[in-house]
Amino acid sequence: RRPIPPPPTRTAVKAAPEADPEAGPAYGSGHEPAMLMIRPWLDPVVDETGHDPRSRYVEQFWLGVLGPTATWLLRRLVAGLAQQPDGYEIDLDVTARAMGMSYRAGRSSPFSKALQRCTMFGLAHQTSDGIAVRRRVPTVAHRHLRRMPDTVQQAHDEWERTTIAVDQLTRAHRL
């Protein structure tokens, strides 16, 4: 058996002055804000047949797949696209703090993980200057539905049987 090494010795370190969390990043101090360009993901098929990310469908069926943070982030990004359809730029730190999180460069922060989940599940993808976000969300894939509780699967089956999309209703009125 090897002996347990002694704990490391501690040395006093002078604490840095606390930053004002409301002040945001220190501009001009060498730490420029991390900005990200948000553009619409143009997909004619999903744009026509998909669900609004702010809809009950997404809350009921995509939430368990994406997780709450990624769902809220997707909704926020799509709301921005509704106001600025050609795209807009976000400050990652400000956006994360507005959602009750912190942002750190890298992949370990909850905010970064939420962005990764949106990409991983096909609701966003990287572009040369930022990310493109779907304005409409496709129907949840069968492979995701299989992992959900039976009650959610049954509710989804019922949703698909009984829900008439506004687009379908509009087409019916035209005929």
Side-chain angles (χ1 to χ4, degrees), residues 28-162:
S29 64
H31 301 304
E32 294 303 317
M35 304 300 287
L36 182 67
M37 189 67 192
I38 309 299
R39 300 231 185 256
W41 179 346
L42 304 176
D43 182 339
V45 174
V46 175
D47 286 348
E48 185 175 323
T49 62
H51 307 274
D52 187 301
R54 298 159 289 186
S55 70
R56 192 171 133 240
Y57 179 88
V58 170
E59 190 169 316
Q60 197 167 5
F61 304 115
W62 269 102
L63 182 63
V65 175
L66 278 179
T69 306
T71 302
W72 278 112
L73 177 59
L74 178 65
R75 288 176 168 190
R76 179 176 288 262
L77 297 177
V78 169
L81 287 171
Q83 293 184 3
Q84 299 176 38
D86 294 331
Y88 61 99
E89 198 171 44
I90 62 169
D91 180 320
L92 296 172
D93 181 60
V94 170
T95 305
R97 288 189 304 135
M99 294 179 67
M101 297 178 277
S102 64
Y103 171 76
R104 290 183 310 279
R107 297 178 177 218
S108 63
S109 73
F111 187 79
S112 295
K113 288 179 181 179
L115 276 173
Q116 291 170 28
R117 289 185 72 77
C118 289
T119 301
M120 179 171 53
F121 290 105
L123 303 176
H125 70 86
Q126 288 189 309
T127 63
S128 61
D129 65 343
I131 63 170
V133 178
R134 286 191 187 274
R135 294 171 298 176
R136 308 275 295 176
V137 175
T139 299
V140 175
H142 183 69
R143 70 179 183 274
H144 300 310
L145 282 171
R146 283 193 327 238
R147 295 184 185 127
M148 294 183 190
D150 289 341
T151 55
V152 175
Q153 291 180 39
Q154 291 166 359
H156 190 271
D157 290 343
E158 182 70 20
W159 179 284
E160 289 199 319
R161 275 196 311 275
T162 60

